[in-house]
Amino acid sequence: DVKVTQSSRYLVKRTGEKVFLECVQDMDHENMFWYRQDPGLGLRLIYFSYDVKMKEKGDIPEGYSVSREKKERFSLILESASTNQTSMYLCASSYSTDTQYFGPGTRLTVL
Amino acid sequence: QKEVEQNSGPLSVPEGAIASLNCTYSDRGSQSFFWYRQYSGKSPELIMFIYSNGDKEDGRFTAQLNKASQYVSLLIRDSQPSDSATYLCAVTSDSNYQLIWGAGTKLIIKP
């Protein structure tokens, strides 16, 4: 079974803090994705990576950066958290253009 | 802009009946089609994928694809209260590794 884990299920941060969200997959998948999900807006792609050290912007990259130093690990960084970044953050991984498998999600609240 | 459209619902179906969920997509180059189920507060999980025109059955679930009409559907037979969830339709983009996501249909199975 594919396993995708995320560093925290719930996180509360203050405005202006730097926030790290980490995702690890154990299936040697090439592709990894970061989404945010808000009520009524569905899944929105922030960034994705198709190889180590490679990254592509998704639909809403502003205010975020990513890092992929190892194949199994993909980090999302909020350089200076803002209240409008309060959301559910979902990491996913896939092999080629196939099925995406999701981690359990991190519910981030920025106060 | 490549889009996937779903009726947001809620779709209310009596227990034991057939639930029919529909999805249309705009990108004629899409090759793979996915249905995910998402319980409230949880991450999406794959139910089925379909690549070819026609029907694909897996237990109580049947996915139907009509590429000419750019239409994919999910039928759930003998609906159970545990099927109550939001169902997300996703299709591959012909240009990269991404999936294009619908906003989801909320399904409620009434005992």
Side-chain angles (χ1 to χ4, degrees):
Chain A
D1 275 355
V2 175
K3 189 165 185 183
V4 181
T5 58
Q6 293 184 229
S7 49
S8 304
R9 288 287 281 124
Y10 300 94
L11 209 52
V12 179
K13 295 292 182 181
R14 297 259 176 217
T15 302
E17 280 192 81
K18 191 169 186 175
V19 181
F20 293 88
L21 302 180
E22 194 166 72
C23 176
V24 178
Q25 51 96 3
D26 67 354
M27 284 302 291
D28 202 34
H29 282 169
E30 302 160 342
N31 306 319
M32 297 188 75
F33 306 83
W34 275 107
Y35 294 92
R36 65 178 282 178
Q37 189 175 35
D38 302 287
L41 296 179
L43 282 169
R44 293 185 289 169
L45 182 65
I46 304 171
Y47 269 97
F48 70 99
S49 169
Y50 53 89
D51 202 351
V52 175
K53 298 191 186 295
M54 305 303 290
K55 60 186 179 184
E56 293 276 350
K57 292 180 180 179
D59 300 318
I60 52 164
E62 297 79 17
Y64 303 94
S65 62
V66 290
S67 173
R68 194 166 180 202
E69 297 296 318
K70 293 185 177 182
K71 192 173 186 179
E72 68 271 18
R73 198 176 296 267
F74 192 35
S75 300
L76 179 69
I77 303 148
L78 287 66
E79 294 289 342
S80 177
S82 63
T83 54
N84 62 13
Q85 292 179 310
T86 291
S87 187
M88 170 71 98
Y89 289 87
L90 292 161
C91 175
S93 72
S94 74
Y95 177 73
S96 186
T97 55
D98 214 323
T99 308
Q100 289 185 17
Y101 296 91
F102 286 84
T106 296
R107 188 167 292 281
L108 172 67
T109 301
V110 182
L111 301 175
Chain B
Q1 180 77 4
K2 299 172 183 177
E3 293 182 340
V4 174
E5 299 283 344
Q6 294 183 259
N7 189 319
S8 62
L11 174 65
S12 185
V13 173
E15 184 176 356
I18 296 175
S20 178
L21 303 161
N22 304 314
C23 171
T24 59
Y25 60 96
S26 63
D27 186 355
R28 284 198 172 273
S30 294
Q31 296 293 321
S32 304
F33 306 85
F34 303 87
W35 282 102
Y36 285 78
R37 177 177 61 201
Q38 186 174 24
Y39 292 114
S40 180
K42 303 293 187 182
S43 59
E45 55 179 334
L46 179 73
I47 299 175
M48 291 188 70
F49 58 86
I50 186 167
Y51 302 137
S52 304
N53 273 328
D55 294 2
K56 178 182 178 183
E57 189 173 316
D58 184 1
R60 295 187 297 112
F61 299 94
T62 300
Q64 299 176 318
L65 175 60
N66 183 325
K67 288 187 178 181
S69 300
Q70 295 175 247
Y71 178 94
V72 58
S73 64
L74 179 71
L75 301 178
I76 307 174
R77 289 182 299 281
D78 189 23
S79 296
Q80 303 295 311
S82 60
D83 295 325
S84 298
T86 296
Y87 289 80
L88 304 174
C89 173
V91 308
T92 50
S93 164
D94 65 350
S95 58
N96 56 37
Y97 312 93
Q98 296 184 45
L99 290 180
I100 307 167
W101 293 87
T105 298
K106 184 172 183 177
L107 175 66
I108 298 172
I109 306 299
K110 293 194 169 180

